[in-house]
Amino acid sequence: AQTVTQSQPEMSVQEAETVTLSCTYDTSENNYYLFWYKQPPSRQMILVIRQEAYKQQNATENRFSVNFQKAAKSFSLKISDSQLGDTAMYFCAFIKHYGQNFVFGPGTRLSVLP
Amino acid sequence: ETGVTQTPRHLVMGMTNKKSLKCEQHLGHNAMYWYKQSAKKPLELMFVYSLEERVENNSVPSRFSPECPNSSHLFLHLHTLQPEDSALYLCASSPGWGAQGNEKLFFGSGTQLSVL
């Protein structure tokens, strides 16, 4: 069974600074996908970024980028130029290729301070 | 607006009540999910439907009963719930397995359920 771990329950960052959220996972699969989802106080879970395990290049989406280390089973999220609207819970998630179950980590609560 | 709508947004019910949660997706997706989100716990998968057929039931108690009448609608029928069932219930959809980009979930805003 796959598991996803996020070791930082809470983090804070000053506006305009950079922050990195950690995620590790455990799987015996070789083909899979990793995600970061954001859940602001509105409760809407929003996809931030997606990584395909067979791609060595790290995914980027504007201010969001990942550091994917497949051998270490690590998938961290870097947020550059943090904005107040980035305040939210961030969940790391995993699904194996053609899998049915997205497995989520426990989340990291990020607060961006003015 | 992500194309997945859940109603009601909030629900308070007694342990002897019967209620239903509704989810509707306007994205043309083939798979729909119910997740339970409790405080300080990871999201727990409850049910998965693909093309209206249940493909996974994660040992959920029978007091939760899903229904998927078509690929756009998903219900969760609730009866004789317990206080520990109080949580945020999230519905999600995805294009479906084998489809390009299927590994992506689109969520509704959830129903915050309180069982008294």
Side-chain angles (χ1 to χ4, degrees):
Chain A
Q2 291 85 20
T3 59
V4 177
T5 302
Q6 294 177 250
S7 59
Q8 307 150 314
E10 293 188 28
M11 295 190 72
S12 62
V13 62
Q14 292 294 135
E15 197 175 4
E17 297 293 307
T18 295
V19 65
T20 299
L21 308 184
S22 301
C23 172
T24 58
Y25 58 95
D26 187 25
T27 184
S28 58
E29 302 288 333
N30 192 45
N31 290 329
Y32 51 87
Y33 303 84
L34 295 161
F35 309 81
W36 280 98
Y37 277 88
K38 166 186 176 181
Q39 188 179 38
S42 66
R43 304 184 327 211
Q44 185 83 60
M45 292 274 276
I46 302 163
L47 177 64
V48 175
I49 200 164
R50 175 177 177 268
Q51 176 79 42
E52 297 162 351
Y54 58 86
K55 288 188 177 178
Q56 293 186 334
Q57 187 173 6
N58 289 324
T60 62
E61 286 287 342
N62 301 314
R63 299 182 294 109
F64 299 88
S65 61
V66 298
N67 183 3
F68 173 48
Q69 301 290 326
K70 191 172 184 180
K73 296 181 182 174
S74 169
F75 183 62
S76 61
L77 174 70
K78 185 171 85 171
I79 306 174
S80 304
D81 185 26
S82 297
Q83 301 175 0
L84 296 178
D86 295 333
T87 293
M89 283 289 289
Y90 285 82
F91 294 93
C92 181
F94 167 103
I95 188 169
K96 66 180 182 181
H97 192 52
Y98 290 112
Q100 299 167 354
N101 184 9
F102 291 76
V103 179
F104 286 81
T108 295
R109 184 176 301 279
L110 176 68
S111 298
V112 179
L113 308 174
Chain B
E1 174 60 53
T2 65
V4 181
T5 305
Q6 284 188 248
T7 55
R9 193 159 169 82
H10 302 273
L11 179 62
V12 179
M13 59 187 289
M15 291 194 289
T16 58
N17 292 157
K18 289 185 181 181
K19 297 286 184 183
S20 295
L21 310 184
K22 180 183 175 182
C23 177
E24 185 174 359
Q25 58 98 359
H26 313 277
L27 301 168
H29 290 169
N30 291 327
M32 295 188 77
Y33 304 71
W34 280 116
Y35 278 90
K36 176 183 179 182
Q37 186 178 21
S38 306
K40 301 187 190 300
K41 286 174 122 179
L43 269 73
E44 301 171 59
L45 177 66
M46 299 177 74
F47 301 102
V48 183
Y49 277 83
S50 175
L51 295 171
E52 303 140 49
E53 196 173 313
R54 189 191 303 179
V55 296
E56 185 151 342
N57 170 359
N58 261 13
S59 303
V60 178
S62 59
R63 57 186 184 268
F64 295 91
S65 174
E67 179 190 1
C68 188
N70 55 62
S71 59
S72 298
H73 293 86
L74 185 65
F75 295 89
L76 188 62
H77 303 300
L78 317 171
H79 63 97
T80 59
L81 293 192
Q82 305 298 310
E84 60 264 27
D85 297 322
S86 298
L88 179 67
Y89 288 84
L90 289 165
C91 175
S93 71
S94 73
W97 305 287
Q100 187 176 4
N102 64 322
E103 303 84 3
K104 196 181 295 184
L105 280 175
F106 295 80
F107 284 89
S109 296
T111 295
Q112 186 66 54
L113 174 67
S114 298
V115 181
L116 305 178

